[in-house]
Structures are given as structure tokens and as C-alpha cells.
Amino acid sequence: WFQNTINYKISNNQPAIVSFGDLEHKFLSFVTSIRNKQTLIDFALSKMPTNNELSEKIMQRPTYVQQLEIIKSTQDEVIEAVSDYFRADSNRQDWIEKEIIDEDSIQDFENRLCTFYANSRKGIQLTQGFQSEENQGKLLLNECQKRQERIANMDTPDKTVQGSYHLLADELRLGWHPQWESILLMAEEGKNG
């Protein structure tokens, strides 16, 4: 990180100086990851939303819930997704705030999830093209939710990967149905038109 930062500054005709705050932040994240080596702490367990709060979130129909509706997920699957989303989002915020991991580690984690998603999507299209598009989406979601992935060489708590996939679906970085982009676009145009 230090070498890359210095090289970047030099290549952009900036002084080759790194602030103590930046260095301390990177160093603390690194030391903490070594100290905690094995598993990230699940901070979200102590602040899980109530069933009413989960139901309210579903009624707001965030994009990741709409994506699940497109592939005809059950109500139980949607509730689980909202809970997983909360856990992943809450933990990520706490890990960064407490300097256990940094933004770069999250970005790397998300990139690896997206790569796995893209490869799984291609595989399902090639091997399961005879299935309905909804079933292809369910297969893709299931494949991604079985994925195990680490953040900064640390194991993640239960539901981190699943919730992170819902975060990515909410940001429209991926989707489950083969035609998810056009379906969501038509739904948005229907609301506005």
C-alpha cells in the first residue's frame, strides 16, 4: 500500500508524502487483521431488527427485494434476505468504523463475489438454459449463497456472503433473473409513466 501510494503521487507530480493518519489507519487495520486472524466478529447479532421492522423494510420494496420478487421467491426467502442484508451491512459498517478492516478489503471481497457470480451465471446459462428464467435465477441465487469467501484473510460470520450478495443486487451490480436489468427498468418506467 505504501509503495503504491508513493508511486501514484510521484506519477501525478505530487509530493511523495503520506500522512501519519493514513499510515496509522492502514497499519491498525493490518495489525488488527493479524491479531484477529481467524474470524470477524458478528456485531449485528446484538442489534437484529424485529419482525415488524423486517416487514416494514419488505413493504418499502428495496431493489434487492424486487430482484427476489422477479424470480418468484417465497415470503420466507424474502424475510431471510432482508435479515441477511441487515447483518452484512451492519457488520461491514462496524468493522470499518472499528478499523478491523478497511474499504479496500471490502472492495476486494465484493469483486471476488462478483467474479464468482459472473462465472456461475455463465455456467447456469450453459447447463440449465432449458429451465424457466425464474428457475435459472433461483439456481444462480442458490449457487451464490453457498459461496464461502473471506475478507482480509479472515473468515466471515454466518450470512455475510448472502447479505453481501443482496447489497450488490441492491446497488444493481448484479441480478438473479437473466433479464433483471430490463425488467427493473420497465418497472421503474411504469412507476414514472
Side-chain angles (χ1 to χ4, degrees):
W1 169 82
F2 184 79
Q3 187 64 48
N4 288 340
T5 301
I6 295 297
N7 288 342
Y8 175 80
K9 289 183 177 232
I10 290 171
S11 69
N12 287 303
N13 296 322
Q14 298 175 353
I17 299 171
V18 175
S19 75
F20 178 77
D22 288 345
L23 182 61
E24 181 183 49
H25 176 75
K26 285 293 183 179
F27 182 75
L28 286 175
S29 293
F30 175 71
V31 169
T32 302
S33 71
I34 290 172
R35 194 173 351 125
N36 294 335
K37 192 95 175 151
Q38 295 302 318
T39 304
L40 289 163
I41 298 166
D42 192 350
F43 293 109
L45 280 178
S46 64
K47 50 187 172 184
M48 288 298 292
T50 64
N51 287 341
N52 285 342
E53 291 169 327
L54 291 174
S55 295
E56 287 174 20
K57 192 62 167 174
I58 292 168
M59 295 189 56
Q60 293 170 5
R61 294 189 66 239
T63 304
Y64 70 100
V65 169
Q66 292 177 48
Q67 293 232 32
L68 294 170
E69 291 170 351
I70 292 170
I71 60 170
K72 299 182 179 13
S73 295
T74 66
Q75 185 67 17
D76 287 342
E77 290 167 335
V78 172
I79 291 169
E80 183 178 9
V82 173
S83 175
D84 294 351
Y85 178 101
F86 171 82
R87 282 181 71 176
D89 188 44
S90 178
N91 275 329
R92 290 155 60 124
Q93 289 175 25
D94 283 341
W95 295 332
I96 291 170
E97 182 180 306
K98 293 173 181 12
E99 297 184 343
I100 296 170
I101 60 173
D102 59 16
E103 292 280 348
D104 292 342
S105 299
I106 291 290
Q107 189 62 49
D108 177 60
F109 172 73
E110 288 180 347
N111 289 342
R112 285 182 277 122
L113 291 180
C114 287
T115 298
F116 181 81
Y117 160 83
N119 291 333
S120 296
R121 184 177 182 184
K122 287 177 192 171
I124 288 171
Q125 287 172 343
L126 290 171
T127 62
Q128 302 297 317
F130 61 90
Q131 296 277 351
S132 71
E133 290 185 328
E134 288 83 9
N135 283 344
Q136 288 179 49
K138 288 178 184 183
L139 287 167
L140 179 57
L141 173 61
N142 186 54
E143 193 68 25
C144 289
Q145 291 194 334
K146 292 188 299 186
R147 179 74 176 163
Q148 294 298 311
E149 197 65 64
R150 298 177 69 149
I151 300 176
N153 287 331
M154 292 182 275
D155 293 330
T156 58
D158 190 33
K159 302 298 186 176
T160 301
V161 169
Q162 296 88 334
S164 295
Y165 270 115
H166 294 303
L167 285 161
L168 293 167
D170 200 54
E171 295 171 358
L172 300 175
R173 291 180 59 189
L174 54 80
W176 309 119
H177 191 282
Q179 307 299 322
W180 67 273
E181 292 166 302
S182 59
I183 292 171
L184 288 174
L185 180 64
M186 286 190 304
E188 187 63 30
E189 288 173 353
K191 280 195 285 185
N192 296 332

